[in-house]
Amino acid sequence: MEDLISKRELLERYSVSYGALYRWKRMGLIPEDWFLRRATPTGQETFFHRAQICPRVEQILQRGDTSLEDLAEKLREPERQAPENWLIVTDRFTSRRFRLEELKSITLIVDGQAQELLPKQKGVHQK
């Protein structure tokens, strides 16, 4: 069984605003893939793995004189040394990681022209 904490419980526990949480996400302090959307009886809610998110929020809140930008850069450093089986997509706001073995295809579209970026896998037949 997963040990999850709801977004609401997290915000209340650490007295963090919704806006601050999503600003941290945009800055890359909290990775996109940590936000788990789950169906609930009242609709859809966001959850996190408690063992991941609680230490990260505590680290952000207890950063001392370190700016959020500097902390985000420090936290992104391990992603730069990620194993070759990850695709890391980074823009100016956030970074997102994908396991290559889970990707079906990657298509780059430049000037309206599509180009397949993943090589064809052995044993996979195309029609």
Side-chain angles (χ1 to χ4, degrees), residues 65-89:
D65 293 336
T66 305
S67 72
L68 288 174
E69 291 81 9
D70 289 343
L71 181 57
E73 186 66 27
K74 178 183 169 189
L75 293 172
R76 277 194 294 269
E77 189 61 35
E79 289 182 354
R80 290 192 180 105
Q81 300 167 9
E84 292 181 355
N85 62 336
W86 287 93
L87 170 66
I88 301 172
V89 179

Side-chain angles (χ1 to χ4, degrees), residues 84 86-89 98 100 103-110 113-121 126:
E84 292 181 355
W86 287 93
L87 170 66
I88 301 172
V89 179
F98 302 91
L100 285 181
L103 297 176
K104 291 182 180 181
S105 69
I106 299 176
T107 304
L108 176 66
I109 301 175
V110 178
Q113 299 293 318
Q115 179 181 358
E116 192 69 29
L117 296 181
L118 278 183
K120 306 220 181 331
Q121 297 176 357
Q126 293 189 337

Side-chain angles (χ1 to χ4, degrees), residues 1 9 30:
M1 185 174 180
E9 183 182 350
I30 300 174

